[in-house]
Amino acid sequence: MGYDQNAANAAMLKRYVQEARPMETMFSVEGKVAIVTGATSGLGFNIALRLLQGGANVVIAGSSRTKGEYTIPILEEAGYGNDRVIFCQTNVTKEEDMENLVRTADETFGSIDIFVNSAAVWSYAHIYDMPAEEFRRVLDTNVSGAFLGIKHVSRYMIEHEINGKITLISSNSAWLPYPVFGGYPHYTASKGGVNSLAIEAAKELKRFGIMVNVVAPGGMATAGASSNMCAAGLSEEKQDEFYEELMVWQNDGTQPVDTVAIVAYAMSTPMSDGITGEIVVADCGMSHNIVKYQAAIEQYPEE
């Protein structure tokens, strides 16, 4: 009897049906344990909230104990008690703090399945005015902090044979210059570093079943963004000059934080099992100049 291609195809289709996981589990983090850094404000908080909604237990990491003391009650009011979410004060640039964060998650919830690094800092200054110490501060937090998180979380996942998900929050500013006349070379350099770090980590960790990806948003309205100031050390004249430039905007507004948080959530679910080493751009089309309207730009350098 010869080879029957149709019979072989039919058998394969039946196997697809048998192996297909229930759709509701593909977008669920039920029973998982997540660590989210930078989670006491803005995007990090929204990501932690979405993970809680999806059924995960969450360790919220932040450098400010004061913020942690009011963040947890807010989540408790929303129905998530301390059996589901805890705060761990963490300076992501300190290795002992990251070790403690991993230890706290393990001792409290017994696992670490998901790690989302959303901790980041920035300020404003043109490269010719940038204090070197400010450049180093931003790179240390945004890149070294991400490195330390990956280092200690992945080590835990490898030792416990966990097929984990690691997501780093980057920014489209790594390749899309803005504000109009620039102003944060330290931040853009750090986010380019985060992108490259994620790709290298993905190469090293895939053999252990750990998937590493990046979510890169555009500008968002967060407490940090609204309170962000020029770099320390700039003269008052330089600050006034920069803030005037900053008012010249080049797109049609800021995107809702949750449009990014839900993508970071999705990257933490089985939906992303086939994705690693990718930069998922969640900027509502900004990188492609896809806008609802284009604001008039009236300020240009004089010829």
Side-chain angles (χ1 to χ4, degrees), residues 136-200:
R136 296 188 188 101
R137 180 183 76 92
V138 170
L139 267 289
D140 193 27
T141 300
N142 298 0
V143 182
S144 298
F147 154 70
L148 289 174
I150 295 173
K151 174 182 177 178
H152 292 286
V153 169
S154 68
R155 179 179 290 174
Y156 178 93
M157 290 176 172
I158 292 167
E159 290 175 353
H160 293 80
E161 299 183 345
I162 295 170
N163 295 329
K165 298 294 180 70
I166 295 176
T167 302
L168 308 182
I169 303 301
S170 177
S171 167
N172 66 1
S173 67
W175 59 86
L176 181 66
Y178 64 93
V180 173
F181 303 115
Y184 37 59
H186 48 350
Y187 184 72
T188 59
S190 74
K191 292 306 185 179
V194 166
N195 294 342
S196 297
L197 177 64
I199 293 169
E200 174 63 24

Side-chain angles (χ1 to χ4, degrees), residues 91-162:
N91 181 336
V92 297
T93 69
K94 294 183 177 180
E95 189 148 25
E96 60 269 27
D97 278 22
M98 296 305 296
E99 291 174 321
N100 178 64
L101 176 61
V102 168
R103 184 166 54 250
T104 298
D106 177 56
E107 291 175 353
T108 305
F109 296 121
S111 183
I112 303 171
D113 307 284
I114 297 163
F115 174 61
V116 181
N117 186 80
S118 187
V121 296
W122 69 97
S123 59
Y124 293 116
H126 291 300
I127 197 165
Y128 42 83
D129 293 322
M130 177 71 66
E133 59 271 21
E134 181 66 0
F135 192 94
R136 296 188 188 101
R137 180 183 76 92
V138 170
L139 267 289
D140 193 27
T141 300
N142 298 0
V143 182
S144 298
F147 154 70
L148 289 174
I150 295 173
K151 174 182 177 178
H152 292 286
V153 169
S154 68
R155 179 179 290 174
Y156 178 93
M157 290 176 172
I158 292 167
E159 290 175 353
H160 293 80
E161 299 183 345
I162 295 170

Side-chain angles (χ1 to χ4, degrees), residues 36-51 58 60-62 64 67-68 70-71 74-75 116-120 122 169-170 187 217-227 255-262 264:
V36 184
T37 65
T40 55
S41 66
L43 177 58
F45 177 83
N46 267 50
I47 294 170
L49 175 62
R50 285 299 191 178
L51 289 166
V58 179
I60 286 179
S64 169
K67 288 183 178 180
Y70 62 70
T71 298
I74 289 171
L75 291 171
V116 181
N117 186 80
S118 187
W122 69 97
I169 303 301
S170 177
Y187 184 72
M220 296 172 289
T222 65
S226 62
S227 62
Q255 66 183 116
V257 174
D258 196 50
T259 61
V260 183
I262 199 66

Side-chain angles (χ1 to χ4, degrees), residues 278-300:
E278 289 295 337
I279 302 169
V280 181
V281 182
D283 68 358
C284 293
M286 182 181 178
S287 293
H288 297 290
N289 197 33
I290 299 172
V291 296
K292 292 181 291 185
Y293 64 87
Q294 182 67 58
I297 300 176
E298 298 176 353
Q299 181 181 348
Y300 291 93

